[in-house]
Amino acid sequence: MEDLELALRSALPIDNIDRVLFDQDDGIVLVWVDMQERPDVATLAARHGEEEGSCTCTCTLFSGNQNKRNMILGLRIEMRTPTRTAFHLAFKVERYIKQLSLFAQFGKLWIVPGPPPAYLTGTQEMDLQTFIEKVMNFAGQGIMIELEPTLVADVQALLDEWKQTQKER
């Protein structure tokens, strides 16, 4: 993994994160990011659903301030198809623990251009089809990432460790 400080400095700014539960056995974390400084990622997000087949990417996990209250959990995403690019996401664990816990359970992220409109944030109940249509109508296709099971287990282990150290304080 490249230098942690560089990864944190170059991470896409996160506007908001939502949890989307499909049912008891499936869910996804919706990450609204500011792509203004990264037109390559914005183009990828716009093209992602238009390309034949699925995207191919490699994800690498990184963390900073491990087990401290201000722990950062990050993901380096290197896309190979439909275009080649790499970007980072860095999450403040304390702020996004509910969303990251869902991510650690199912290993799925849906990255879309932000900021989100007020009518799509907060706790709401709507069926999946309506939600997807509203997000896609506002933000476009976005980028769907599904982690390998071993990486999902690594995320879960880091979060479990963080939660345990917070209880001990």
Side-chain angles (χ1 to χ4, degrees):
M1 177 63 208
E2 58 199 55
D3 181 63
L4 177 62
E5 188 175 322
L6 176 61
L8 293 174
R9 269 197 326 267
S10 66
L12 293 174
I14 295 173
D15 290 322
N16 198 10
I17 301 177
D18 292 306
R19 297 181 304 157
V20 181
L21 294 169
F22 303 139
D23 57 41
Q24 296 284 31
D25 299 320
D26 200 10
I28 191 166
V29 174
L30 177 62
V31 182
W32 300 87
V33 298
D34 182 348
M35 296 183 188
Q36 292 180 41
E37 304 285 322
R38 292 290 308 266
D40 58 327
V41 177
T43 300
L44 175 64
R47 290 182 48 201
H48 183 64
E50 300 169 1
E51 300 291 324
E52 290 293 321
S54 60
C55 71
T56 306
C57 67
T58 301
C59 295
T60 308
L61 189 64
F62 64 91
S63 64
N65 304 325
Q66 199 160 338
N67 296 329
K68 295 181 181 172
R69 186 183 58 74
N70 63 343
M71 181 174 156
I72 301 290
L73 183 67
L75 202 56
R76 180 181 191 277
I77 302 165
E78 183 178 343
M79 305 296 296
R80 291 188 299 270
T81 60
T83 58
R84 292 188 69 85
T85 193
F87 58 94
H88 299 96
L89 296 174
F91 306 97
K92 296 176 180 176
V93 174
E94 183 177 45
R95 180 174 182 188
Y96 297 119
I97 188 61
K98 288 181 182 178
Q99 295 89 340
L100 291 171
S101 294
L102 184 76
F103 179 52
Q105 186 176 0
F106 300 115
K108 297 177 189 174
L109 284 178
W110 184 15
I111 304 164
V112 294
Y119 67 87
L120 286 177
T121 61
T123 303
Q124 321 179 26
E125 192 170 320
M126 65 177 81
D127 66 56
L128 177 62
Q129 187 62 35
T130 302
F131 179 79
I132 289 174
E133 286 172 6
K134 285 185 175 197
V135 171
M136 289 177 66
N137 284 340
F138 178 79
Q141 182 71 32
I143 303 166
M144 182 70 70
I145 304 289
E146 188 166 356
L147 297 183
E148 295 291 324
T150 55
L151 204 50
V152 173
D154 291 345
V155 171
Q156 185 67 60
L158 282 169
L159 291 179
D160 287 346
E161 221 175 278
W162 181 84
K163 288 175 188 176
Q164 184 61 40
T165 58
Q166 299 316 297
K167 284 181 187 177
E168 293 170 0
R169 289 178 188 224

